[in-house]
Amino acid sequence: MRKKLITEVSGVVAAPVDRVWRALLDDRPRYEMKTELGEHTVAYQGGWWYRGEWAVVADPEGTRVIHRVYDVAERLSWAVTLVNKFFHGFDEQTRRSFAEGLARIGERLGCAARLT
């Protein structure tokens, strides 16, 4: 599969990896997308170009949560860049959405959560 990184964001939740992992899975999208689960990784793929990958890893402050968005278009890959230019602020929108999800996880677990 061809993957081109579009944006990446990360944050830290002050809780153990296993608790954050379970909370992340509980907070996943409610719409239908292809889902791939790994050990502390999950990927959602939908539409003709979008793939979002999430990973949780140990961090000195608890758990680091990493979110990457990839262009996985097999055909018309040149159009992804063009289309995303029309969505001015895609990086910031992704960062804001990630921050909201991180805050929900922190609230659910009763601990601090912050962007890095």
Side-chain angles (χ1 to χ4, degrees):
M1 166 185 9
R2 177 184 99 52
K3 291 191 332 185
K4 178 182 175 189
L5 182 65
I6 293 179
T7 192
E8 178 177 325
V9 63
S10 68
V12 174
V13 179
V17 169
D18 287 338
R19 290 187 68 215
V20 174
W21 174 242
R22 286 190 302 272
L24 178 68
L25 290 180
D26 288 345
D27 198 51
R28 64 179 152 184
R30 300 296 178 220
Y31 44 90
E32 189 165 322
M33 296 182 92
K34 178 182 175 187
T35 303
E36 297 172 18
L37 280 171
E39 185 176 345
H40 296 138
T41 63
V42 62
Y44 304 107
Q45 192 164 320
W48 61 280
W49 71 270
Y50 176 85
R51 180 179 176 90
E53 295 182 352
W54 297 76
V56 296
V57 296
D59 184 271
E61 295 179 43
T63 300
R64 178 168 303 277
V65 181
I66 304 158
H67 175 53
R68 294 179 179 104
V69 176
Y70 291 95
D71 159 13
V72 293
E74 294 294 327
R75 297 185 327 246
L76 302 174
S77 60
W78 58 268
V80 175
T81 303
L82 179 63
V83 169
N84 281 322
K85 285 185 180 180
F86 290 118
F87 296 113
H88 181 70
F90 181 78
D91 288 345
E92 185 55 38
Q93 178 184 353
T94 300
R95 186 172 174 79
R96 187 173 38 254
S97 176
F98 176 83
E100 291 167 0
L102 206 62
R104 281 191 305 271
I105 290 170
E107 288 172 18
R108 183 175 300 133
L109 298 178
C111 63
R114 67 176 178 81
L115 289 175
T116 55

